Amino acid sequence: MSDWQSWAAPAVVIVTVAILLWRNLRPAKEASCDEECDCGKKE
Amino acid sequence: MSSDRTFALVGNPNTGKTTLFNALTGLRQKVANYPGVTVEKKVGTGRDRHGAAFTVIDLPGAYSLDAKSPDEEVTRAVLRGERPDTPQPDAVICLVDAVNLERHFYLATQVMELGLPVIVVINKTDEAEERGITIAAKRLEERLGVSVVPMQANERVGMEALQVALSASDLAQPQWTAVEDGDPATRYTAIETLLEGTVARSEEDRQTPSDKWDRVLVHPILGWVVLLSIVGGLFFTLFSLAGYPMDLIDGTFGWLGEQVEARMAEGDLRALITEGIIGGVGGVVIFLPQILILFFFIGLMENTGYLARVSFMMDRLMSGVGLNGKAFVPVLSSYACAIPGIMATRTMESARDRLITTLIAPITSCSARLPVYVMLIALMLPVGTAGQKALVMIGLYVLSIIGVYTFAWVFNRTLEKSEKTLMVLELPSYQRPSWREITLQMYERGKIFLRRAGTVILGLSIVLWAMTTYPKSDSEDGSEQLAYSAAGRLGKTIEPVIEPLGYDWKMGIGLVASFAAREVFVSTMSIIYLGEEAEEDSVRDRMAEETRADGKPAYDVRTCLSLLVFYVFAMQCLSTVAVTRRETNSWRWAILQVVYLTGFAYLAALATYQIGGFFLS
């Protein structure tokens, strides 16, 4: 059992949660389009 | 690149505006055959014959400038220079359909009254010719005093003449006397006078190949037989053909996991990578072949012009629940994803119809449900043939259609009434499918699916892995650790509520986790079952072996049916909630959507499981 892995894994989880929160709580870039499900933006 | 002049491209929906826009600017865009596809504002640049740059604004399709839908409002505002975000165009390219010249001139004459220079493009001259319609463009040009260019935009026929017209140093203002009277009949009389002697129709009734096809494909009985056969073929292919590439993807992710295990010492981070990341993401990515097959069929139907016929047939049903066929375009888009579907409601005139369509859109079986359906159907029918599995899949889609109609009817009866709007739906001629367009669409959809897997699903898989791993118990047994973890405790807490539906606490974890996105149910199952004993077994095998306390299989037919019914109706998509809030400008409707869909999903799954008890052991 690697010791460094026991703190590295929670660190990855914390960073992931932070990114998820940031992605969802930041102001929308474009009011008319969602980036997860394409809505016809081809430009 | 500096732009000398700005042209606005205006026309009724489905006139070939997007095709002309592409031809003028060289930008790639989706060409669809059903009405209302041009929703977003599109701007591009092109060069005229003298090499001077010009800008083209592709405005949303509109039938008139009497702004009824939000789309038409945008078109009118841009043309009048009333939108601060868009400069007023220097001239307008007005696209009309050669086959329906009188009706398309309704908008064209309104545009001519705005006082801007105009170039009239008469598109689809080949179709007009096929129908025995001849148009004297020169005579019309003389009468209007502006360039009138006959075109066949999809073949670039007439492009040279349009380039000449665009390159003119002085663009002419039309000689057209404004129709002051707001009565449409007065305008149509003026249009009749304008077109008199310019349009000649052949006396004989010419049947085009499209007319002959339509006799079968939109027939009240045969039409449905054909449609059901096509949908049946789609699902059969989904189960029979997708198996090979799925095994390949599964093998690749398995190999990847082995490589990590061989190179890293045992520990939490290794478990996070193999069980959380590779297991979670791989569990969803494996369904890429199915997504591609689904969009191949949708692309084929859209590209050949058949989808517009489906829209036409659906209009008969839509009117039965108080909605017009225009609601079908957003509903149909929702089969790919509810988000663009809800955004497509902007093409509808009535605010009430827009709201009803937005509320029912998430019931359509979007592509995110596909992985969940495929996994549960395979569990339910372990030795079933592709045909049997396809039948269950059709049943789920039919159930979602019944749900759409039922709730449309309920909302139509309960929400305050408003004026009825008429639907104008054009059936484009059938055409050979463009394989390039279909491949492009499959590529785009595949990219979106993988992007979701690499972002949202990846993130949620990591969080879920943490929830199934922490806090840690002293036990070495995987099941005990899962029960001790945060996710296990959550599952046990909600177990009494979901028990009557036939679900245990592990399924409960999947339900709660997939509240953010439906596909997460599949990755959660991978993390839960493969995490317990990371052996050679596939998730499906592990799930099939799972038993209840009484020794009976956990995923029996009753439970799988109950889960399938739950996923047909449940909201389970946070992105859709956000878009509903944005489009309705109110949290009230977004919350109502979540509550009524989740509540109904619960009741429907409960009824399925309990009634199923009478027939299935």
Side-chain angles (χ1 to χ4, degrees):
Chain A
M1 180 85 176
S2 293
D3 264 339
W4 68 273
Q5 288 199 34
S6 56
W7 61 260
V12 172
V13 175
I14 291 166
V15 170
T16 306
V17 172
I19 293 172
L20 281 177
L21 286 174
W22 173 74
R23 273 176 61 93
N24 287 291
L25 299 179
R26 73 184 155 159
K29 274 188 294 187
E30 197 185 333
S32 60
C33 209
D34 186 273
E35 60 184 30
E36 277 169 26
C37 268
D38 179 70
C39 47
K41 52 175 185 191
K42 306 278 174 195
E43 284 156 84
Chain B
M1 191 190 296
S2 71
S3 293
D4 296 329
R5 284 196 287 206
T6 302
F7 293 97
L9 192 54
V10 183
N12 287 19
N14 220 38
T15 324
K17 238 162 26 68
T18 309
T19 311
L20 182 59
F21 179 66
N22 283 342
L24 283 172
T25 63
L27 279 183
R28 278 233 53 78
Q29 267 184 353
K30 191 173 151 191
V31 182
N33 266 338
Y34 59 86
V37 78
T38 311
V39 178
E40 301 293 315
K41 170 185 157 189
K42 297 179 191 115
V43 180
T45 49
R47 287 195 177 272
D48 67 14
R49 286 165 61 90
H50 310 303
F54 60 78
T55 303
V56 185
I57 307 171
D58 183 11
L59 290 172
Y63 292 105
S64 75
L65 289 183
D66 311 326
K68 280 178 186 152
S69 73
D71 269 12
E72 288 177 335
E73 232 166 76
V74 168
T75 300
R76 189 178 66 171
V78 171
L79 290 175
R80 288 185 171 177
E82 290 167 353
R83 280 192 75 91
D85 52 2
T86 314
Q88 188 177 23
D90 299 306
V92 184
I93 304 169
C94 200
L95 202 63
V96 291
D97 185 334
V99 180
N100 299 299
L101 213 54
E102 291 84 355
R103 193 164 54 67
H104 282 240
F105 259 88
Y106 193 94
L107 172 71
T109 52
Q110 284 185 321
V111 171
M112 285 191 244
E113 289 166 15
L114 293 172
L116 291 168
V118 171
I119 296 169
V120 177
V121 172
I122 303 176
N123 196 23
K124 303 187 184 178
T125 47
D126 52 328
E127 276 182 40
E129 211 171 291
E130 227 175 55
R131 288 170 188 270
I133 302 168
T134 329
I135 298 160
K138 275 285 158 215
R139 194 174 297 169
L140 198 56
E141 196 169 85
E142 283 159 19
R143 282 185 194 173
L144 288 171
V146 298
S147 296
V148 175
V149 185
M151 274 196 85
Q152 206 184 315
N154 57 346
E155 299 286 339
R156 297 179 71 97
V157 175
M159 205 57 204
E160 187 71 18
L162 179 60
Q163 277 287 353
V164 171
L166 290 171
S167 309
S169 52
D170 282 321
L171 289 163
Q173 299 257 1
Q175 297 157 13
W176 167 257
T177 319
V179 180
E180 301 294 344
D181 187 355
D183 184 10
T186 317
R187 184 169 294 278
Y188 275 120
T189 311
I191 293 168
E192 250 175 60
T193 315
L194 169 74
L195 297 178
E196 211 179 332
T198 61
V199 184
R201 285 173 201 278
S202 154
E203 286 302 306
E204 56 179 310
D205 179 25
R206 289 205 192 178
Q207 285 267 325
T208 63
S210 287
D211 294 333
K212 288 173 191 158
W213 277 102
D214 276 343
R215 259 190 261 157
V216 176
L217 297 179
V218 294
H219 186 272
I221 298 161
L222 284 177
W224 288 102
V225 174
V226 173
L227 179 61
L228 278 176
S229 310
I230 291 174
V231 175
L234 156 66
F235 293 139
F236 181 81
T237 319
L238 220 59
F239 283 103
S240 56
L241 212 70
Y244 308 104
M246 282 175 85
D247 287 343
L248 197 74
I249 297 171
D250 196 24
T252 309
F253 276 93
W255 175 84
L256 214 62
E258 283 166 19
Q259 295 305 307
V260 174
E261 278 174 3
R263 283 167 174 73
M264 271 182 89
E266 196 185 340
D268 282 356
L269 190 64
R270 190 181 88 170
L272 167 64
I273 295 170
T274 54
E275 295 161 21
I277 297 175
I278 298 176
V281 175
V284 172
V285 173
I286 194 172
F287 294 99
L288 178 67
Q290 260 115 346
I291 300 288
L292 294 180
I293 292 172
L294 177 74
F295 283 102
F296 170 76
F297 271 84
I298 291 179
L300 195 65
M301 297 205 295
E302 189 178 340
N303 221 265
T304 50
Y306 179 61
L307 213 53
R309 269 73 186 178
V310 180
S311 193
F312 174 75
M313 290 198 294
M314 288 290 173
D315 182 47
R316 297 175 195 158
L317 291 179
M318 287 282 179
S319 58
V321 291
L323 285 177
N324 72 31
K326 262 196 175 178
F328 182 67
V329 177
V331 169
L332 192 76
S333 309
S334 301
Y335 275 93
C337 176
I339 292 164
I342 289 172
M343 289 174 61
T345 59
R346 291 177 192 176
T347 56
M348 301 168 75
E349 288 93 356
S350 151
R352 182 174 177 274
D353 285 356
R354 278 202 299 276
L355 178 62
I356 295 177
T357 313
T358 299
L359 289 175
I360 59 167
I363 308 175
T364 53
S365 282
C366 68
S367 54
R369 283 175 169 99
L370 204 60
V372 183
Y373 288 171
V374 172
M375 181 193 227
L376 290 170
I377 292 173
L379 265 177
M380 192 170 80
L381 302 170
V383 288
T385 62
Q388 288 168 330
K389 288 173 183 169
L391 264 180
V392 177
M393 189 70 109
I394 291 176
L396 295 173
Y397 274 71
V398 168
L399 191 63
S400 91
I401 292 169
I402 293 172
V404 165
Y405 281 106
T406 309
F407 281 104
W409 180 81
V410 170
F411 288 125
N412 190 42
R413 303 270 298 191
T414 47
L415 291 175
E416 208 180 313
K417 298 255 186 256
S418 65
E419 57 172 316
K420 272 210 155 224
T421 53
L422 279 173
M423 148 142 150
V424 184
L425 181 68
E426 272 171 45
L427 297 182
S429 295
Y430 290 103
Q431 59 184 35
R432 273 178 214 282
S434 156
W435 301 113
R436 193 160 173 267
E437 287 286 344
I438 295 172
T439 315
L440 209 72
Q441 193 177 347
M442 285 166 71
Y443 167 74
E444 285 289 335
R445 284 292 162 184
K447 204 170 76 181
I448 293 159
F449 179 74
L450 290 179
R451 191 167 64 204
R452 256 174 88 83
T455 53
V456 184
I457 309 296
L458 171 70
L460 291 173
S461 294
I462 292 174
V463 172
L464 266 165
W465 174 86
M467 286 179 71
T468 58
T469 310
Y470 304 110
K472 289 198 165 191
S473 74
D474 297 328
S475 169
E476 289 292 311
D477 181 72
S479 289
E480 280 181 30
Q481 164 56 36
L482 185 64
Y484 190 77
S485 70
R489 290 172 204 208
L490 183 70
K492 294 234 182 229
T493 310
I494 64 161
E495 197 173 24
V497 183
I498 57 171
E499 215 172 4
L501 277 62
Y503 313 154
D504 64 12
W505 59 276
K506 287 181 189 172
M507 297 174 205
I509 299 173
L511 290 189
V512 174
S514 62
F515 187 74
R518 296 175 178 97
E519 316 91 296
V520 176
F521 181 78
V522 176
S523 49
T524 311
M525 295 298 112
S526 300
I527 294 167
I528 289 177
Y529 292 107
L530 290 185
E532 280 181 37
E533 294 168 38
E535 285 174 8
E536 291 298 302
D537 293 358
S538 73
V539 190
R540 201 195 302 161
D541 295 334
R542 286 283 305 113
M543 288 170 82
E545 287 163 13
E546 182 77 1
T547 51
R548 295 174 194 273
D550 58 7
K552 287 185 178 168
Y555 291 90
D556 57 9
V557 176
R558 258 173 93 189
T559 307
C560 286
L561 271 179
S562 169
L563 273 169
L564 285 169
V565 169
F566 183 85
Y567 275 97
V568 167
F569 295 107
M571 182 74 186
Q572 310 288 94
C573 182
L574 279 184
S575 302
T576 307
V577 179
V579 169
T580 299
R581 197 216 72 84
R582 203 167 63 197
E583 293 295 307
T584 59
N585 208 15
S586 134
W587 273 111
R588 196 177 81 170
W589 296 114
I591 292 169
L592 173 86
Q593 198 174 41
V594 175
V595 171
Y596 102 83
L597 286 175
T598 311
F600 185 78
Y602 182 90
L603 292 176
L606 178 71
T608 306
Y609 189 74
Q610 296 302 334
I611 296 169
F614 294 111
F615 308 100
L616 304 160
S617 57

